[in-house]
C-alpha cells in the first residue's frame, strides 16, 4: 500500500513538473537566457574565451575580431545562476561573471533584466549592450 502511494506521489510530481516546464508560468519561473559574447578588442587580436558555471563547462572558444560565441540556459529556481568566463588575448588575461542572476535577471538591478544578454569585450572592460541602442553598461574586470 505504501508503495502504491509513493508511485502515485511520484507520478503526480512528475506530471506537475512537466506542466510547469511547458507553461508560461514555468517559463517565467525558469527564465530563458541567451548570452552572446562579441570580440571587440580594439587591437583586433584573437580572444580566447572559456565560460562555465557549477554544472556546465562551455569549453574553450577562439574568437577572431568581430566574431561571437553564444549559449542558452535557464535561470535556476533560487535565482543564483552564475556563468563565469575567463578571457585571454596577447599579454592579458581577465575573468568576469558574464551572467549573474542578481544583476542580469533582477528588475531591481541598475542594469535591468536581459533575456538576450549581448556582451562586447573590450580591453578595458566587458560591456553589456542595451537593446534601446543607448550607452552600454560597462563593468570592471574581476581580475
Amino acid at each position: 500500500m505504501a508503495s502504491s502511494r509513493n508511485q502515485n506521489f511520484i507520478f503526480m510530481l512528475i506530471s506537475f513538473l512537466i506542466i510547469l516546464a511547458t507553461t508560461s508560468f514555468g517559463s517565467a519561473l525558469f527564465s530563458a537566457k541567451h548570452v552572446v559574447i562579441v570580440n571587440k578588442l580594439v587591437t583586433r587580436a584573437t580572444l580566447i574565451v572559456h565560460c562555465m558555471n557549477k554544472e556546465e563547462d562551455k569549453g574553450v572558444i577562439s574568437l577572431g575580431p568581430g566574431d561571437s560565441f553564444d549559449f542558452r540556459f535557464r535561470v535556476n529556481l533560487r535565482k543564483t545562476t552564475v556563468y563565469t568566463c575567463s578571457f585571454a588575448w596577447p599579454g592579458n588575461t581577465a575573468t568576469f561573471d558574464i551572467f549573474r542572476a542578481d544583476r542580469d535577471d533582477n528588475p531591481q538591478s541598475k542594469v535591468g533584466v536581459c533575456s538576450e544578454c549581448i556582451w562586447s569585450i573590450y580591453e578595458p572592460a566587458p560591456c553589456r549592450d542595451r537593446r534601446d541602442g543607448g550607452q552600454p553598461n560597462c563593468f570592471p574586470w574581476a581580475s
Side-chain angles (χ1 to χ4, degrees), residues 1 6 10 14 29 35 42 50 54 59 61 76 80 101 104 113-114 117 119 121 129 131 133 143:
M1 178 126 153
N6 285 344
I10 291 171
I14 290 172
L29 227 108
V35 170
V42 176
H50 185 201
K54 289 180 183 176
I61 308 295
N76 65 24
T80 58
D104 302 310
V113 173
C114 63
C117 310
W119 289 91
I121 306 302
D129 295 339
R131 301 294 291 166
S143 65

Side-chain angles (χ1 to χ4, degrees), residues 52-53 56 58 71 73 81-85 96-99:
M52 65 179 79
N53 72 3
E56 186 177 22
K58 297 295 185 181
F71 58 95
F73 61 94
T81 304
V82 176
Y83 274 90
T84 302
C85 298
F96 182 71
D97 291 339
I98 208 76
F99 182 87

Side-chain angles (χ1 to χ4, degrees), residues 68-132:
S68 64
F69 160 66
D70 71 298
F71 58 95
R72 297 173 189 272
F73 61 94
R74 291 194 177 273
V75 174
N76 65 24
L77 185 60
R78 295 181 303 152
K79 298 218 177 245
T80 58
T81 304
V82 176
Y83 274 90
T84 302
C85 298
S86 62
F87 299 89
W89 63 95
N92 294 283
T93 59
T95 60
F96 182 71
D97 291 339
I98 208 76
F99 182 87
R100 281 190 4 222
D102 66 333
R103 180 192 63 215
D104 302 310
D105 194 43
N106 180 354
Q108 311 309 324
S109 79
K110 73 172 194 160
V111 294
V113 173
C114 63
S115 56
E116 184 172 46
C117 310
I118 302 170
W119 289 91
S120 295
I121 306 302
Y122 299 98
E123 288 88 342
C127 300
R128 195 175 99 186
D129 295 339
R130 292 179 35 176
R131 301 294 291 166
D132 65 5

Side-chain angles (χ1 to χ4, degrees), residues 23-38:
T23 63
S24 59
F25 177 74
S27 294
L29 227 108
F30 303 101
S31 305
K33 300 297 175 184
H34 181 206
V35 170
V36 180
I37 299 168
V38 183

